[in-house]
């Protein structure tokens, strides 16, 4: 068995071990994704799942509270898997900083010593263990550019992801380019959604194809962990996708174009992804399976499968959590009704609603990750005070890289929609 098939096998075996809570029923489909680590050791390498996620939902602009980062705005499987990876990384950092031991078989963070914070900008000296590399498994081609390709039955697979005409949501309206007959490729797109959605209800989340490119360009851990010593915040060596049920021979070409070619552009050629489509390991509750059911029962809508509204996220340090993609909160949590916010309208609700959302927030929400980082940062240093998530993202090199990727013509992330909400 080759490495890529081993990655897919490990990811799918892991999914089979999860309980039924949060999994799609017989009339539903979902997308499943896992970040799989390969740890080089003797006598043979160890392959294990660091984090995983299921889901295909995201929140619209009018569902997101500007005054609280309590909600999961994007519950697509790849995004939840990546956030779980961040959670697991911070958890391992926390354990190492308190001299707690980690499991040798599933550890991937190293910690040498605290630094003299009076003379250097870094507050610690963590790093990704050199012997560990990371791969991404996805049950379907990621939404956005990766899903534009010819099918074997002479049809063309289009993406529902939209081409935005503005790159800032400070404008009162983000409209999109209509593409009735042909879709352009290798461009930034917002996540899929119906074309008749009102502007205030449209998501501001970028497609998963674009986010994967971003993670490999700017690092899996982003800028928040740069102050903790990470000179290299991790990236994927490869992406493995289960084959489309129609088995599209052009699926691999589309993945190469949208992920490998874009992530390997410019100065980051060393990070060019290896991509692989596996026909040996298929996720049975996939979107491509649902599409095949729809094609086979074109005139029988009762047979069609619907997308699951529930999401599972797992990480190796804290097990399983179930959330609802429709409200961005933990399972069995009813979100208080509120008047929907119109585009450009300021937040007027009081603190009670934010408190309710905060109590029900997922461990992967910004507010929870912020709490973890703040505690860790303030424990490691007395010379700097960390109050919120943005305090960790002020690393000059990261800010320079990010600005260049988003703003400069020809860069792979040019056209990224930056959100204020």
């Amino acid at each position: 068995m080759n490495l890529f098939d081993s990655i897919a096998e490990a990811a799918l075996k892991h999914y089979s071990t999860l309980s039924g809570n949060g999994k799609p029923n017989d009339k539903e489909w979902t997308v499943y994704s896992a970040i799989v680590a390969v740890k080089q050791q003797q006598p043979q390498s160890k392959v294990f799942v660091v984090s995983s996620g299921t889901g295909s939902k995201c929140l619209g602009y009018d569902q997101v509270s500007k005054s609280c980062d309590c909600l999961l705005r994007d519950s697509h499987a790849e995004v939840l898997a990546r956030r779980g990876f961040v959670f697991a990384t911070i958890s391992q950092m926390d354990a190492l900083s308190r001299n707690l031991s980690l499991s040798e078989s599933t550890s991937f963070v190293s910690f040498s010593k605290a630094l003299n914070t009076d003379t250097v900008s870094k507050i610690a000296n963590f790093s990704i263990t050199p012997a560990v590399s990371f791969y991404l498994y996805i049950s379907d081609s990621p939404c956005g550019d990766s899903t534009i390709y010819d099918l074997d039955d002479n049809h063309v697979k289009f993406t529902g992801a939209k081409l935005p005409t503005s790159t800032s949501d400070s404008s009162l309206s983000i409209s999109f380019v209509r593409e009735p007959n042909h879709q352009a490729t290798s461009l930034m797109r917002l996540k899929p959604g119906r074309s008749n959605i009102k502007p205030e209800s449209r998501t501001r989340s970028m497609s998963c194809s674009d986010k994967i490119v971003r993670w490999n360009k700017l690092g899996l851990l982003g800028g928040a962990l740069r102050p903790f010593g990470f000179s290299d915040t991790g990236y994927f060596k490869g992406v493995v996708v289960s084959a489309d049920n129609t088995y599209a021979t052009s699926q691999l070409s589309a993945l190469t174009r949208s992920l490998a070619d874009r992530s390997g552009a410019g100065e980051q050629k060393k990070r060019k992804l290896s991509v692989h489509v596996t026909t040996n390991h298929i996720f049975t509750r996939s979107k491509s399976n649902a599409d095949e059911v729809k094609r086979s029962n074109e005139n029988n809508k009762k047979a069609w499968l619907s997308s699951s509204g529930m999401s599972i996220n797992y990480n190796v340090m804290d097990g399983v959590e179930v959330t609802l993609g429709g409200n961005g909160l933990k399972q069995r949590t009813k979100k208080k009704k509120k008047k929907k916010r119109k585009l450009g309208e300021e937040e007027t609700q009081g603190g009670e609603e934010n408190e309710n959302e905060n109590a029900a927030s997922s461990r992967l929400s910004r507010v929870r990750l912020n709490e973890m980082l703040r505690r860790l940062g303030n424990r490691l240093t007395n010379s700097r005070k960390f109050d919120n998530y943005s305090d960790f993202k002020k690393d000059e090199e990261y800010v320079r890289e990010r600005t260049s990727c988003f703003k400069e013509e020809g860069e792979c992330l040019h056209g990224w929609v930056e959100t204020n909400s």
Side-chain angles (χ1 to χ4, degrees):
M1 184 184 300
N2 64 40
L3 175 62
F4 289 110
D5 278 340
S6 297
I7 298 298
E9 181 183 61
L12 292 174
K13 278 187 175 179
H14 162 76
Y15 180 83
S16 70
T17 67
L18 302 177
S19 69
N21 186 22
K23 289 184 175 181
N25 62 38
D26 291 341
K27 298 295 291 181
E28 294 177 327
W29 62 266
T30 192
V31 177
Y32 169 60
S33 182
I35 295 179
V36 180
V38 177
K39 191 170 188 178
Q40 302 296 330
Q41 59 186 32
Q42 297 298 328
Q44 64 180 25
S45 297
K46 168 75 175 178
V47 178
F48 64 95
V49 172
V50 176
S51 58
S52 66
T54 67
S56 62
K57 305 291 186 181
C58 55
L59 303 184
Y61 181 92
D62 55 5
Q63 294 177 276
V64 177
S65 170
K66 291 185 74 172
S67 57
C68 180
D69 283 331
C70 310
L71 307 180
L72 287 174
R73 307 175 189 200
D74 188 340
S75 291
H76 279 220
E78 301 93 320
V79 175
L80 295 181
R82 184 260 175 177
R83 281 185 169 266
F85 177 82
V86 173
F87 183 98
T89 301
I90 300 173
S91 297
Q92 293 202 2
M93 292 164 61
D94 180 72
L96 291 171
S97 71
R98 292 187 285 124
N99 295 317
L100 301 178
S101 60
L102 295 172
S103 170
E104 179 64 26
S105 61
T106 57
S107 64
F108 57 90
V109 175
S110 299
F111 180 50
S112 56
K113 62 180 179 179
L115 302 178
N116 182 348
T117 54
D118 295 326
T119 59
V120 296
S121 60
K122 305 295 183 184
I123 62 174
N125 196 18
F126 292 97
S127 63
I128 298 293
T129 303
V132 180
S133 53
F134 302 104
Y135 295 81
L136 179 66
Y137 167 79
I138 319 171
S139 61
D140 296 89
S141 291
C143 68
D145 193 59
S146 296
T147 59
I148 305 173
Y149 54 86
D150 296 330
L151 299 175
D152 289 349
D153 57 3
N154 296 319
H155 289 79
V156 177
K157 188 163 188 174
F158 277 15
T159 178
K162 304 297 188 288
L163 287 175
T165 58
S166 170
T167 58
S168 173
D169 73 350
S170 60
S171 61
L172 291 182
S173 177
I174 289 187
S175 57
F176 59 90
V177 177
R178 295 185 181 275
E179 304 169 284
N181 301 313
H182 173 76
Q183 290 191 317
T185 58
S186 301
L187 297 175
M188 295 286 115
R189 292 177 178 271
L190 295 173
K191 274 194 160 59
R194 297 194 315 272
S195 297
N196 61 351
I197 293 177
K198 295 179 180 179
E200 61 266 26
S201 299
R202 189 167 297 285
T203 182
R204 294 300 184 270
S205 295
M206 300 301 293
S207 74
C208 288
S209 294
D210 298 332
K211 288 193 173 185
I212 293 168
V213 173
R214 173 177 175 158
W215 300 334
N216 251 42
K217 188 75 173 181
L218 297 176
L220 262 175
L221 299 174
L225 299 191
R226 294 285 183 97
F228 294 91
F230 289 93
S231 58
D232 188 335
T233 56
Y235 60 96
F236 294 127
K237 289 196 70 175
V239 175
V240 189
V241 179
S242 289
D244 194 313
N245 271 354
T246 56
Y247 189 54
T249 54
S250 56
Q251 184 183 13
L252 179 60
S253 297
L255 289 165
T256 301
R257 178 199 70 232
S258 62
L259 302 182
D261 292 348
R262 288 200 294 165
S263 67
E267 296 179 357
Q268 298 296 340
K269 289 183 179 179
K270 66 177 182 178
R271 293 188 180 180
K272 185 171 182 177
L273 284 166
S274 296
V275 294
H276 182 78
V277 173
T278 177
T279 58
N280 298 321
H281 303 282
I282 305 298
F283 182 65
T284 57
R285 310 306 304 174
S286 68
K287 185 180 185 303
S288 62
N289 178 64
D291 290 342
E292 178 63 24
V293 170
K294 184 176 181 179
R295 283 192 293 270
S296 302
N297 297 272
E298 187 173 352
N299 298 318
N300 181 17
K301 291 187 176 181
K302 291 184 178 180
W304 295 6
L305 306 181
S306 60
S307 60
S308 174
M310 301 180 73
S311 290
I312 300 171
N313 73 77
Y314 161 90
N315 73 80
V316 72
M317 296 296 290
D318 199 39
V320 173
E321 178 187 71
V322 179
T323 59
L324 302 177
N327 67 12
L329 296 170
K330 287 189 292 189
Q331 184 187 26
R332 298 190 181 93
T333 301
K334 290 185 178 180
K335 186 178 174 184
K336 287 188 176 181
K337 291 184 178 180
K338 67 175 181 177
K339 180 182 177 182
K340 286 191 173 183
R341 177 162 57 100
K342 294 181 179 179
L343 213 60
E345 184 177 71
E346 291 298 319
E347 193 78 27
T348 57
Q349 287 77 17
E352 182 179 350
E353 181 185 348
N354 287 341
E355 289 178 6
N356 178 61
E357 291 179 352
N358 188 51
S361 61
S362 164
R363 63 190 178 188
L364 303 187
S365 65
R366 290 184 184 181
V367 69
R368 294 299 180 212
L369 293 177
N370 174 38
E371 289 173 358
M372 294 175 70
L373 276 180
R374 189 174 64 246
R375 287 196 301 266
L376 179 60
N378 291 332
R379 188 172 71 245
L380 288 171
T381 180
N382 294 318
S383 63
R384 296 170 66 182
K385 188 68 175 176
F386 297 97
D387 295 317
N388 56 60
Y389 205 60
S390 61
D391 289 341
F392 295 96
K393 292 192 172 184
K394 295 178 180 178
D395 179 86
E396 291 183 2
E397 182 180 358
Y398 175 77
V399 171
R400 186 167 58 252
E401 290 176 7
R402 185 177 182 275
T403 301
S404 173
C405 287
F406 288 179
K407 302 298 184 184
E408 292 185 11
E409 291 280 353
E411 280 288 345
C412 63
L413 298 176
H414 182 258
W416 190 277
V417 175
E418 298 192 70
T419 59
N420 298 318
S421 61

